[in-house]
Amino acid sequence: MQTNTTCPYCGVGCGVVAEHDTTRCDTLVSVTGDPSHPANQGRLCVKGSALAETLGHDGRLTHPRIDGLEVSWERALDEVGARLGRVRQQHGSGAIAGYLSGQLLTEDYYLANKFFKGFVGTPHVDTNSRLCMASAVAGYKRALGADAVPCCYEDLEEAELVVLTGSNLAWNHPVLYQRLRTAKRRNPLMRIVVIDPRVTDTCEIADLYLPIASGSDIALFNGLLSYMAGKGRLDHDFIERHTEGFDEALAAAQLEAPDIETAADLCGVDAERLETFYYWFASQLHVVTLYSQGINQSSSGTDRVNAIINCHLAGGSIGLPGAGPFSITGQPNAMGGREVGGLANQLAAHMDYHTPGALDRVTRFWTTPGLVPTLPEGPGHKALALVEAIERGEIQALWIMATNPLVSLPDANRVRAALKKCSLVIVSECMAHNDTLEHADILLPASGWAEKDGTVTNSERRISRQRGILPPPGEARHDWWIICEVARRMGFGEAFAYSGVHEVFDEHARLSGFENGPQATPETGYRLFDISGLAGLDRAQYDALAPIQWPVNVGAPKGTARLFENARFMTPSGRARLIAVASRPGMQRPGSDTRLLLNTGRIRDQWHTMTRTARASRLMHHRSEPFIEVHPEDARQASVHNGQIARLHNTLGEYLGRVRVTTAQPQGSLFVPIHWNDQFARQARASALIAAVCDPVSGQPESKQGRVALSPVTAQWEACLLLKRDARAPLEACDWWARIPQAHCQRWQMAGEKVPDWRVWCERMLGQAPTLWSEDETRGHFRAACLHGGRLLWWLAVAPVGTLNPMLGEIGWLDDCFALETLESPQRRRLLAGRAASGEDGGPTVCSCHQVGEKTIGRAIAGGCKSVEALGERLACGTQCGSCIPELKKLLAAQTERREEPVEGTSA
Ligand code: SF4
């Protein structure tokens, strides 16, 4: 059976077709791209295409728990209701807080917001979207009067110039990257500019790459505005008729970056290249500037957003096909959260507390017979302030839904201490283990992606259905149901009586249109977010809902692809605002021993804290361990070398990762991934190094400008230990470890200082003496395996530090051995070698879709494959999601360069 649903990872919001085996209730046979979905038109990236491999009931939270003990739902819900009620009675509504997530479906989000703000009466509800795109929201609101993304994905294809800034699109929004790549192929005149301090895979598509200094974005766009003014490239008519604040914004721009030389100097880029960018932008109406976390995650994130929007307004490039400032969200339903009012400074349905008439309007809308909501009068604590309020003892009860703040919030060790201090921590979660769960008093098992029913909104305002396909495991329940049951127990039952999730959506749609519409103005509460055209859907119509972009109302029954085509904005004057902005330094300043800038971000094949993506073993192969990317000169100065385990530290915490020396990283700055945590490695939470400082307007943390010191970890040995999936490695016996789930076993990479007697170590630490082993004491090599009844129990390889990984055999072949009931003699004979007799080492995985390694690709190139297409034909690499194409190109280029290198002693 096939079901059309939506990928639960990034903000592209790809449609997927899930094939379901109706004879097995926990199994999806496959997930493929939905050709009918407008966002992806059949494409998927590697994360989306591996979705079917991430399911299964192992590792799921299946029963409610109180203080670690399994209890019935009745007991858990009674307890949540009673304890929240007590906190409310004793300390007031404001002592209760909710921390939500862009992973929630819109219906869950809507009800959580209604529950906390409307009926508990607390304003302290924030969401992990605060960490991702709060600055984009604040920037849009300041400039356009509403949190309204003006563009749609077609604009990327219709643009003549696409500027990618603060976005590694190739890795973080791969399907949009593929769409852009195809568009460029079709329109050779299209130009693409990539602006990023780091050379990423996205640069591969660039006609022009600007490696600006970290934090110089405002200077760059102020310089552009000055250039446009100086070269007579402003759209005076548009500025005059449709904007305000131009003179002040231009004056600020000219003060900071009056000419190209100054701007180039501030940005640390070549003036000629900068002028090329300025000339291209200023000469083109059809420009899209696409930005993401590189812009948002800063203490001046909102100003950065406005610096970009200023240039679009000054050039009139907004509200047109192929034009506009386009923020791409990180999470699958960050936009849905914005729609319902999930951020602490919002009220509901795109109304803020100060929106004229909003408090009264929402109160009347949520009133049911005999039950009047008690809305707070003003905004609540944003995420970082929420942690501080817990520390001060003001927040006594916190309900976390679908997020893992102990890994994602900055200053993560402080968050851990705050949670320990909070008297009541409730967590709704679908996985049984994550760093946050350890601090929960009450655990509520929630349904997961393939089980949930509802809607999500992607980065282009497109609402898509996520459809439940499989039954939730054990006693897991939907988030919306859990909220309603707690609400009922707290006396709010009449306002939370729904027969199904379609009724929640209906109410959400009706609120969006309540006292809204063209007869209203922004001053009387007119909101662009209006999906009243979707109100009144019955269950069957809701089930059949096709993807559609808001607004959807009487004036736009089929949805709206692009906003502001009439150049009428949502400010009281109807004019868009240019905002005067100036650069300011990051709030995390270098110390005498923490001079290196720390940039954090996502990697291609993992999602957030890996609770789901790490379940697909093929997604663990591209980057298997936490790492630190470092420029060769910084590596030299810190005495660390490629492949070594190193330490980052500052006064807040510590991070351990494997060094990747690369010139892609600018000197003076490091990059680490955000994904690893205590479940997967020792000391690998990047957020532990980031100070809790944020943008004063948006409250978004400065996640890309930490300050750290780098030093080597002294270790004598490294080991690779393969164990049965449910066995745990003896982690107390090593100084560093990382767990890399495989299909049939767990791979543990370990390192340590003290060299033990390895045979004794095996017996003591693994509980069994090796069945097979080989040892070379002089070289420090040891290999062993243990079989019981013909079955492989564990496999171990040890070598001096830095030499192990290159000599490891085929982990895939060894992993398969764990699935066999009995290893036959030929397999046993190959065990210590770690590879099948005929097997060729494929090397590190490059193409995750088809599991093609670097060495295999190298052999194909040496054998005559001269293009990505030729490699695809021979090995299939790069032919599915395309995310590895930039890496394939690099390998082709490197091999070509090697072939062209002059041979010593001959003339070139
Ligand atoms: S680009 Fe990949 S992760 Fe993002 S929605 Fe599409 S398939 Fe999912």
PDB file of all heavy atoms in Angstrom, residues 7-14 16 40 43-49 51 172-176 607, ligand 1:
ATOM      1  N   CYS A   7       8.496  14.355   4.317  1.00  0.00           N
ATOM      2  CA  CYS A   7       9.755  14.072   5.021  1.00  0.00           C
ATOM      3  C   CYS A   7       9.813  14.880   6.321  1.00  0.00           C
ATOM      4  O   CYS A   7       9.465  16.064   6.326  1.00  0.00           O
ATOM      5  CB  CYS A   7      10.933  14.409   4.123  1.00  0.00           C
ATOM      6  SG  CYS A   7      12.518  14.248   4.959  1.00  0.00           S
ATOM      7  N   PRO A   8      10.262  14.285   7.421  1.00  0.00           N
ATOM      8  CA  PRO A   8      10.250  14.995   8.702  1.00  0.00           C
ATOM      9  C   PRO A   8      11.538  15.737   9.031  1.00  0.00           C
ATOM     10  O   PRO A   8      11.731  16.148  10.178  1.00  0.00           O
ATOM     11  CB  PRO A   8      10.078  13.848   9.696  1.00  0.00           C
ATOM     12  CG  PRO A   8      10.853  12.723   9.081  1.00  0.00           C
ATOM     13  CD  PRO A   8      10.704  12.882   7.584  1.00  0.00           C
ATOM     14  N   TYR A   9      12.428  15.888   8.091  1.00  0.00           N
ATOM     15  CA  TYR A   9      13.699  16.514   8.453  1.00  0.00           C
ATOM     16  C   TYR A   9      13.713  18.017   8.132  1.00  0.00           C
ATOM     17  O   TYR A   9      13.156  18.792   8.873  1.00  0.00           O
ATOM     18  CB  TYR A   9      14.863  15.766   7.817  1.00  0.00           C
ATOM     19  CG  TYR A   9      15.002  14.326   8.308  1.00  0.00           C
ATOM     20  CD1 TYR A   9      15.052  13.271   7.414  1.00  0.00           C
ATOM     21  CD2 TYR A   9      15.069  14.037   9.669  1.00  0.00           C
ATOM     22  CE1 TYR A   9      15.169  11.956   7.858  1.00  0.00           C
ATOM     23  CE2 TYR A   9      15.179  12.736  10.122  1.00  0.00           C
ATOM     24  CZ  TYR A   9      15.234  11.700   9.220  1.00  0.00           C
ATOM     25  OH  TYR A   9      15.353  10.409   9.671  1.00  0.00           O
ATOM     26  N   CYS A  10      14.303  18.417   7.038  1.00  0.00           N
ATOM     27  CA  CYS A  10      14.577  19.859   6.909  1.00  0.00           C
ATOM     28  C   CYS A  10      13.395  20.648   6.378  1.00  0.00           C
ATOM     29  O   CYS A  10      12.365  20.104   5.987  1.00  0.00           O
ATOM     30  CB  CYS A  10      15.820  20.085   6.061  1.00  0.00           C
ATOM     31  SG  CYS A  10      15.526  20.016   4.293  1.00  0.00           S
ATOM     32  N   GLY A  11      13.584  21.969   6.316  1.00  0.00           N
ATOM     33  CA  GLY A  11      12.516  22.880   5.930  1.00  0.00           C
ATOM     34  C   GLY A  11      12.177  22.883   4.454  1.00  0.00           C
ATOM     35  O   GLY A  11      11.298  23.638   4.031  1.00  0.00           O
ATOM     36  N   VAL A  12      12.853  22.069   3.638  1.00  0.00           N
ATOM     37  CA  VAL A  12      12.444  21.985   2.225  1.00  0.00           C
ATOM     38  C   VAL A  12      11.038  21.380   2.154  1.00  0.00           C
ATOM     39  O   VAL A  12      10.203  21.789   1.360  1.00  0.00           O
ATOM     40  CB  VAL A  12      13.438  21.135   1.393  1.00  0.00           C
ATOM     41  CG1 VAL A  12      12.988  21.060  -0.068  1.00  0.00           C
ATOM     42  CG2 VAL A  12      14.841  21.729   1.472  1.00  0.00           C
ATOM     43  N   GLY A  13      10.763  20.406   3.038  1.00  0.00           N
ATOM     44  CA  GLY A  13       9.417  19.831   3.105  1.00  0.00           C
ATOM     45  C   GLY A  13       9.086  18.947   1.923  1.00  0.00           C
ATOM     46  O   GLY A  13       8.015  19.087   1.299  1.00  0.00           O
ATOM     47  N   CYS A  14       9.954  18.003   1.616  1.00  0.00           N
ATOM     48  CA  CYS A  14       9.742  17.144   0.443  1.00  0.00           C
ATOM     49  C   CYS A  14       8.592  16.166   0.662  1.00  0.00           C
ATOM     50  O   CYS A  14       8.450  15.583   1.738  1.00  0.00           O
ATOM     51  CB  CYS A  14      11.000  16.328   0.156  1.00  0.00           C
ATOM     52  SG  CYS A  14      12.410  17.335  -0.290  1.00  0.00           S
ATOM     53  N   VAL A  16       6.962  12.569   0.158  1.00  0.00           N
ATOM     54  CA  VAL A  16       7.486  11.216  -0.031  1.00  0.00           C
ATOM     55  C   VAL A  16       6.319  10.244  -0.236  1.00  0.00           C
ATOM     56  O   VAL A  16       5.207  10.487   0.213  1.00  0.00           O
ATOM     57  CB  VAL A  16       8.361  10.735   1.160  1.00  0.00           C
ATOM     58  CG1 VAL A  16       9.523  11.661   1.401  1.00  0.00           C
ATOM     59  CG2 VAL A  16       7.549  10.592   2.432  1.00  0.00           C
ATOM     60  N   ASN A  40       9.489  19.042  -4.148  1.00  0.00           N
ATOM     61  CA  ASN A  40      10.655  18.247  -4.568  1.00  0.00           C
ATOM     62  C   ASN A  40      10.464  17.523  -5.891  1.00  0.00           C
ATOM     63  O   ASN A  40      11.439  17.033  -6.459  1.00  0.00           O
ATOM     64  CB  ASN A  40      11.017  17.223  -3.479  1.00  0.00           C
ATOM     65  CG  ASN A  40       9.871  16.295  -3.111  1.00  0.00           C
ATOM     66  OD1 ASN A  40       8.730  16.717  -2.954  1.00  0.00           O
ATOM     67  ND2 ASN A  40      10.175  15.026  -2.954  1.00  0.00           N
ATOM     68  N   ARG A  43      12.246  14.288  -6.127  1.00  0.00           N
ATOM     69  CA  ARG A  43      13.619  14.166  -5.612  1.00  0.00           C
ATOM     70  C   ARG A  43      13.602  13.894  -4.101  1.00  0.00           C
ATOM     71  O   ARG A  43      12.685  14.302  -3.398  1.00  0.00           O
ATOM     72  CB  ARG A  43      14.398  15.462  -5.827  1.00  0.00           C
ATOM     73  CG  ARG A  43      14.516  15.928  -7.245  1.00  0.00           C
ATOM     74  CD  ARG A  43      15.122  17.330  -7.218  1.00  0.00           C
ATOM     75  NE  ARG A  43      15.363  17.867  -8.535  1.00  0.00           N
ATOM     76  CZ  ARG A  43      14.497  18.637  -9.193  1.00  0.00           C
ATOM     77  NH1 ARG A  43      13.324  18.928  -8.661  1.00  0.00           N
ATOM     78  NH2 ARG A  43      14.791  19.109 -10.384  1.00  0.00           N
ATOM     79  N   LEU A  44      14.654  13.284  -3.628  1.00  0.00           N
ATOM     80  CA  LEU A  44      14.892  13.166  -2.188  1.00  0.00           C
ATOM     81  C   LEU A  44      16.386  13.253  -1.942  1.00  0.00           C
ATOM     82  O   LEU A  44      17.179  12.875  -2.807  1.00  0.00           O
ATOM     83  CB  LEU A  44      14.414  11.818  -1.645  1.00  0.00           C
ATOM     84  CG  LEU A  44      12.922  11.569  -1.429  1.00  0.00           C
ATOM     85  CD1 LEU A  44      12.730  10.210  -0.775  1.00  0.00           C
ATOM     86  CD2 LEU A  44      12.286  12.657  -0.581  1.00  0.00           C
ATOM     87  N   CYS A  45      16.771  13.709  -0.767  1.00  0.00           N
ATOM     88  CA  CYS A  45      18.185  13.617  -0.421  1.00  0.00           C
ATOM     89  C   CYS A  45      18.396  12.294   0.316  1.00  0.00           C
ATOM     90  O   CYS A  45      17.457  11.532   0.538  1.00  0.00           O
ATOM     91  CB  CYS A  45      18.627  14.810   0.433  1.00  0.00           C
ATOM     92  SG  CYS A  45      18.162  14.687   2.159  1.00  0.00           S
ATOM     93  N   VAL A  46      19.638  12.056   0.723  1.00  0.00           N
ATOM     94  CA  VAL A  46      19.948  10.749   1.305  1.00  0.00           C
ATOM     95  C   VAL A  46      19.219  10.534   2.629  1.00  0.00           C
ATOM     96  O   VAL A  46      18.818   9.413   2.951  1.00  0.00           O
ATOM     97  CB  VAL A  46      21.478  10.573   1.433  1.00  0.00           C
ATOM     98  CG1 VAL A  46      22.066  11.566   2.423  1.00  0.00           C
ATOM     99  CG2 VAL A  46      21.833   9.166   1.829  1.00  0.00           C
ATOM    100  N   LYS A  47      18.988  11.603   3.386  1.00  0.00           N
ATOM    101  CA  LYS A  47      18.274  11.430   4.660  1.00  0.00           C
ATOM    102  C   LYS A  47      16.831  11.010   4.387  1.00  0.00           C
ATOM    103  O   LYS A  47      16.304  10.095   5.029  1.00  0.00           O
ATOM    104  CB  LYS A  47      18.285  12.736   5.466  1.00  0.00           C
ATOM    105  CG  LYS A  47      19.641  13.131   5.985  1.00  0.00           C
ATOM    106  CD  LYS A  47      19.581  14.319   6.912  1.00  0.00           C
ATOM    107  CE  LYS A  47      19.328  15.636   6.220  1.00  0.00           C
ATOM    108  NZ  LYS A  47      20.389  16.142   5.374  1.00  0.00           N
ATOM    109  N   GLY A  48      16.210  11.670   3.438  1.00  0.00           N
ATOM    110  CA  GLY A  48      14.826  11.323   3.114  1.00  0.00           C
ATOM    111  C   GLY A  48      14.717   9.920   2.558  1.00  0.00           C
ATOM    112  O   GLY A  48      13.819   9.152   2.929  1.00  0.00           O
ATOM    113  N   SER A  49      15.664   9.548   1.707  1.00  0.00           N
ATOM    114  CA  SER A  49      15.539   8.228   1.087  1.00  0.00           C
ATOM    115  C   SER A  49      15.879   7.097   2.063  1.00  0.00           C
ATOM    116  O   SER A  49      15.561   5.944   1.806  1.00  0.00           O
ATOM    117  CB  SER A  49      16.381   8.132  -0.189  1.00  0.00           C
ATOM    118  OG  SER A  49      17.701   8.452   0.100  1.00  0.00           O
ATOM    119  N   LEU A  51      14.623   7.043   5.110  1.00  0.00           N
ATOM    120  CA  LEU A  51      13.609   7.095   6.171  1.00  0.00           C
ATOM    121  C   LEU A  51      13.110   5.718   6.610  1.00  0.00           C
ATOM    122  O   LEU A  51      12.934   5.460   7.802  1.00  0.00           O
ATOM    123  CB  LEU A  51      12.410   7.925   5.696  1.00  0.00           C
ATOM    124  CG  LEU A  51      12.471   9.412   6.045  1.00  0.00           C
ATOM    125  CD1 LEU A  51      11.408  10.187   5.296  1.00  0.00           C
ATOM    126  CD2 LEU A  51      12.325   9.608   7.543  1.00  0.00           C
ATOM    127  N   ASN A 172      22.581  21.065   3.628  1.00  0.00           N
ATOM    128  CA  ASN A 172      21.496  21.266   4.588  1.00  0.00           C
ATOM    129  C   ASN A 172      20.104  21.338   3.964  1.00  0.00           C
ATOM    130  O   ASN A 172      19.108  21.124   4.658  1.00  0.00           O
ATOM    131  CB  ASN A 172      21.759  22.524   5.415  1.00  0.00           C
ATOM    132  CG  ASN A 172      23.023  22.368   6.239  1.00  0.00           C
ATOM    133  OD1 ASN A 172      23.374  21.264   6.630  1.00  0.00           O
ATOM    134  ND2 ASN A 172      23.729  23.447   6.472  1.00  0.00           N
ATOM    135  N   HIS A 173      20.045  21.667   2.699  1.00  0.00           N
ATOM    136  CA  HIS A 173      18.763  21.674   1.975  1.00  0.00           C
ATOM    137  C   HIS A 173      19.022  21.071   0.597  1.00  0.00           C
ATOM    138  O   HIS A 173      18.861  21.743  -0.439  1.00  0.00           O
ATOM    139  CB  HIS A 173      18.204  23.099   1.871  1.00  0.00           C
ATOM    140  CG  HIS A 173      17.969  23.742   3.211  1.00  0.00           C
ATOM    141  ND1 HIS A 173      18.873  24.577   3.821  1.00  0.00           N
ATOM    142  CD2 HIS A 173      16.928  23.634   4.085  1.00  0.00           C
ATOM    143  CE1 HIS A 173      18.402  24.972   5.000  1.00  0.00           C
ATOM    144  NE2 HIS A 173      17.229  24.404   5.180  1.00  0.00           N
ATOM    145  N   PRO A 174      19.444  19.796   0.576  1.00  0.00           N
ATOM    146  CA  PRO A 174      19.997  19.236  -0.670  1.00  0.00           C
ATOM    147  C   PRO A 174      19.029  19.232  -1.853  1.00  0.00           C
ATOM    148  O   PRO A 174      19.466  19.401  -2.995  1.00  0.00           O
ATOM    149  CB  PRO A 174      20.348  17.790  -0.282  1.00  0.00           C
ATOM    150  CG  PRO A 174      20.398  17.765   1.203  1.00  0.00           C
ATOM    151  CD  PRO A 174      19.469  18.828   1.680  1.00  0.00           C
ATOM    152  N   VAL A 175      17.739  19.098  -1.583  1.00  0.00           N
ATOM    153  CA  VAL A 175      16.820  19.047  -2.724  1.00  0.00           C
ATOM    154  C   VAL A 175      16.673  20.433  -3.370  1.00  0.00           C
ATOM    155  O   VAL A 175      16.582  20.547  -4.596  1.00  0.00           O
ATOM    156  CB  VAL A 175      15.465  18.446  -2.295  1.00  0.00           C
ATOM    157  CG1 VAL A 175      14.379  18.713  -3.308  1.00  0.00           C
ATOM    158  CG2 VAL A 175      15.629  16.938  -2.090  1.00  0.00           C
ATOM    159  N   LEU A 176      16.726  21.482  -2.564  1.00  0.00           N
ATOM    160  CA  LEU A 176      16.724  22.825  -3.163  1.00  0.00           C
ATOM    161  C   LEU A 176      17.988  23.042  -3.970  1.00  0.00           C
ATOM    162  O   LEU A 176      17.976  23.687  -5.020  1.00  0.00           O
ATOM    163  CB  LEU A 176      16.631  23.895  -2.072  1.00  0.00           C
ATOM    164  CG  LEU A 176      15.257  24.209  -1.522  1.00  0.00           C
ATOM    165  CD1 LEU A 176      15.307  25.468  -0.679  1.00  0.00           C
ATOM    166  CD2 LEU A 176      14.234  24.364  -2.636  1.00  0.00           C
ATOM    167  N   TRP A 607      20.752  14.316  11.159  1.00  0.00           N
ATOM    168  CA  TRP A 607      19.719  15.289  11.502  1.00  0.00           C
ATOM    169  C   TRP A 607      19.746  15.513  13.001  1.00  0.00           C
ATOM    170  O   TRP A 607      19.661  14.568  13.787  1.00  0.00           O
ATOM    171  CB  TRP A 607      18.338  14.786  11.065  1.00  0.00           C
ATOM    172  CG  TRP A 607      17.282  15.773  11.423  1.00  0.00           C
ATOM    173  CD1 TRP A 607      16.351  15.658  12.411  1.00  0.00           C
ATOM    174  CD2 TRP A 607      17.103  17.061  10.849  1.00  0.00           C
ATOM    175  NE1 TRP A 607      15.600  16.810  12.480  1.00  0.00           N
ATOM    176  CE2 TRP A 607      16.050  17.682  11.526  1.00  0.00           C
ATOM    177  CE3 TRP A 607      17.755  17.769   9.826  1.00  0.00           C
ATOM    178  CZ2 TRP A 607      15.607  18.966  11.224  1.00  0.00           C
ATOM    179  CZ3 TRP A 607      17.320  19.044   9.516  1.00  0.00           C
ATOM    180  CH2 TRP A 607      16.251  19.620  10.208  1.00  0.00           C
TER     181      TRP A 607
HETATM  182  S1  SF4 B   1      15.884  17.881   1.364  1.00  0.00           S
HETATM  183 FE1  SF4 B   1      16.170  15.856   2.299  1.00  0.00          FE
HETATM  184  S2  SF4 B   1      15.927  16.168   4.493  1.00  0.00           S
HETATM  185 FE2  SF4 B   1      15.071  17.962   3.471  1.00  0.00          FE
HETATM  186  S3  SF4 B   1      12.891  17.500   3.293  1.00  0.00           S
HETATM  187 FE3  SF4 B   1      13.883  16.855   1.396  1.00  0.00          FE
HETATM  188  S4  SF4 B   1      14.376  14.699   1.645  1.00  0.00           S
HETATM  189 FE4  SF4 B   1      13.919  15.546   3.673  1.00  0.00          FE
END
